[in-house]
Amino acid sequence: VSPDVFDIAIVGAGPAGATLARLLSARHRVLLVDRRNLAFDEPEPRFRKACGGLVAPDAQAMLARLGLGLPRTVLVGPQLFVVRTLDLASGLERDYQRFYFNVDRERFDRWLASLVPESVDRRFATELAGLQVEPEGYRLRLRDAHGVREVRTRVLVGADGARSKVRSWGIHAWPSPPREYLALQEWFEARTAPPWFSVVFDPRLTDFYAWTIPKGDAVLLGAALPPGPDARARFDLLKERLQGHGFDFGSRLRREAHPILRPLLLGGTPRLPRNLLLLGEAGGFISPSSAEGFSYAFKSALAAAEVLNEDLEAAAPRFARATAGLRLRLRIKNLKAPFMYHPVLRWTVMASGLKHLPRVQLP
Ligand SMILES: Cc1cc2nc3c(=O)[nH]c(=O)nc-3n(C[C@H](O)[C@H](O)[C@H](O)COP(=O)(O)OP(=O)(O)OC[C@H]3O[C@@H](n4cnc5c(N)ncnc54)[C@H](O)[C@@H]3O)c2cc1C
């Protein structure tokens, strides 16, 4: 058999793709491709995923199910166990206890990629540049520093994130797809890094939310904004408004932008050919209320592994059935969202003081 013929090709070695590659049976010939160079000791990659790097309780539970604990090398201080919720329109501020692990996203991804077994053909710094449907599967065009090369695969898995090329080139249709937002993040030198994760609501700027997260010597400010020419101006306004609320951002270290998907309450399921699967954010598996994506990346990868380890035939319809519960969960999250995003309901919850941790005033 030619080395360039695979049973399963996974495009994207983020949390979803790397997890699937780790869980697939060694009897499959598996290819894992990522445009980032995720080899553990390689220098900074050209492509970096913009992320808050918070591992939420649902993702922790999935890591536990996958037999994993976070190594010290991926953690970054401070560890966070309070969410400071700030409603800029009403001026209300509340603290809620919630447990996160604070990680360096790049190191987190490299660690997950390092767990992929040797039996998987890993091609990093390699980009999917085209795909063609064939009677027995797909022919992929892969581009790396040495040029373009073709490989063939029976099953194709798109784990290539919010702007998935596998999705845009491979699927038939997606009725009522997730809404796309633009996530902007800026990293600042931390003058004083408060040890909490702030969640900021301001309906004048976005119907989603903004956040601040302390990260080592830096603090990052992010916002999920409706895409458009005024997104940058909205972000600057957010920064200005937060400075009025006691935030003190130091000099800027880095700026980044990334699309982020938000599944709709009545969103549909992508219509896929029989041998194409979409995992993680590529498949719209991300919380519409909090934008938490790690647990959904892990869960959809586990579902795909179970389907593919059983049989490669008709993988897509079986994967659709295996993830029906996960899509239902996304709808339930959507039903919960008004308590966070409707100004009056949010005000009612916050003003009630329910579950608020009153701050001790220091002398
Ligand atoms: C600003 C921001 C902050 C976030 N913060 C959090 C958070 O704190 N906690 C949380 O749980 N979730 C967070 N999320 C969501 C989370 O980042 C995603 O849901 C999660 O990364 C999805 O994992 P994935 O493996 O599906 O896709 P990704 O992590 O996006 O991985 C996709 C991979 O595919 C590769 N790729 C893409 N295109 C190609 C191509 N053509 N060829 C080859 N490779 C390709 C990319 O290099 C990447 O490695 C955040 C998202 C954003 C945008």
Side-chain angles (χ1 to χ4, degrees):
V1 177
S2 148
D4 284 343
V5 177
F6 296 92
D7 295 316
I8 303 165
I10 308 167
V11 180
T19 301
L20 173 63
R22 174 170 176 253
L23 297 177
L24 284 173
S25 155
R27 73 172 193 277
H28 296 311
R29 286 160 298 164
V30 180
L31 171 68
L32 177 65
V33 175
D34 202 293
R35 65 181 176 187
R36 289 191 281 169
N37 193 345
L38 289 163
F40 216 75
D41 301 324
E42 290 296 323
E44 282 284 289
R46 195 155 58 92
F47 302 102
R48 168 184 267 278
K49 170 79 206 243
C51 186
L54 292 184
V55 181
D58 284 351
Q60 295 167 25
M62 277 310 294
L63 285 170
R65 287 191 62 201
L66 295 167
L68 298 171
L70 288 173
R72 188 168 50 86
T73 47
V74 310
L75 295 176
V76 53
Q79 294 309 315
L80 306 169
F81 28 84
V82 71
V83 179
R84 175 154 298 178
T85 305
L86 190 57
D87 185 338
L88 290 186
S90 68
L92 276 181
E93 220 176 290
R94 291 285 181 261
D95 286 351
Y96 300 105
Q97 192 175 21
R98 192 155 154 85
F99 301 96
Y100 294 95
F101 284 104
N102 197 359
V103 300
D104 176 308
R105 173 65 201 259
E106 191 57 34
R107 280 192 257 143
F108 180 67
D109 282 11
R110 285 170 184 231
W111 165 65
L112 288 171
S114 77
L115 304 173
V116 174
E118 290 293 320
S119 57
V120 172
D121 187 338
R122 280 157 294 180
R123 300 196 193 170
F124 294 147
T126 301
E127 187 163 21
L128 176 72
L131 68 83
Q132 202 181 319
V133 184
E134 297 200 318
E136 289 299 310
Y138 291 90
R139 183 182 290 266
L140 310 183
R141 295 180 70 233
L142 303 179
R143 189 186 301 122
D144 66 13
H146 308 290
V148 175
R149 191 171 175 160
E150 291 200 336
V151 300
R152 288 164 61 207
T153 182
R154 250 178 98 186
V155 174
L156 174 59
V157 179
D160 49 345
R163 279 268 172 87
S164 167
K165 281 191 174 164
V166 174
R167 186 180 67 224
S168 54
W169 292 337
I171 69 168
H172 296 318
W174 194 346
S176 313
R179 195 170 159 206
E180 188 180 300
Y181 285 73
L182 177 66
L184 296 179
Q185 283 199 150
E186 291 191 359
W187 293 66
F188 299 93
E189 241 170 44
R191 289 192 184 137
T192 49
W196 55 74
F197 163 35
S198 335
V199 167
V200 183
F201 298 101
D202 189 341
R204 296 163 297 185
L205 300 177
T206 178
D207 61 351
F208 215 173
Y209 77 103
W211 55 89
T212 70
I213 301 171
K215 237 1 126 181
D217 296 333
V219 61
L220 67 89
L221 167 66
L225 300 160
D230 64 343
R232 179 65 61 192
R234 285 169 186 251
F235 189 86
D236 290 340
L237 198 57
L238 166 75
K239 213 162 33 182
E240 213 178 285
R241 289 196 177 143
L242 283 177
Q243 265 154 351
H245 274 79
F247 283 83
D248 180 18
F249 300 111
S251 52
R252 187 169 59 217
L253 303 171
R254 188 160 88 221
R255 265 178 162 182
E256 47 199 16
H258 205 277
I260 188 163
L261 300 186
R262 191 179 194 192
L264 304 176
L265 173 60
L266 298 176
T269 307
R271 295 199 190 113
L272 298 163
R274 288 178 74 72
N275 44 10
L276 191 151
L277 313 187
L278 293 174
L279 309 186
E281 218 177 319
F285 295 107
I286 178 167
S287 166
S289 52
S290 65
E292 191 275 326
F294 296 148
S295 71
Y296 290 92
F298 296 143
K299 283 176 187 167
S300 56
L302 176 60
E306 285 168 354
V307 161
L308 295 171
N309 285 340
E310 192 180 285
D311 193 358
L312 299 185
E313 269 313 302
R318 289 191 295 119
F319 177 68
R321 283 195 292 278
T323 49
L326 203 53
R327 293 210 188 265
L328 178 65
R329 210 183 142 87
L330 292 174
R331 288 186 208 284
I332 294 169
K333 288 265 175 197
N334 249 310
L335 289 173
K336 196 182 121 185
F339 290 96
M340 286 167 77
Y341 293 104
H342 189 284
V344 177
L345 290 178
R346 180 174 56 241
W347 183 87
T348 310
V349 172
M350 289 180 74
S352 77
L354 189 73
K355 298 211 168 179
H356 167 56
L357 290 176
R359 225 172 301 155
V360 173
Q361 297 303 325
L362 296 177

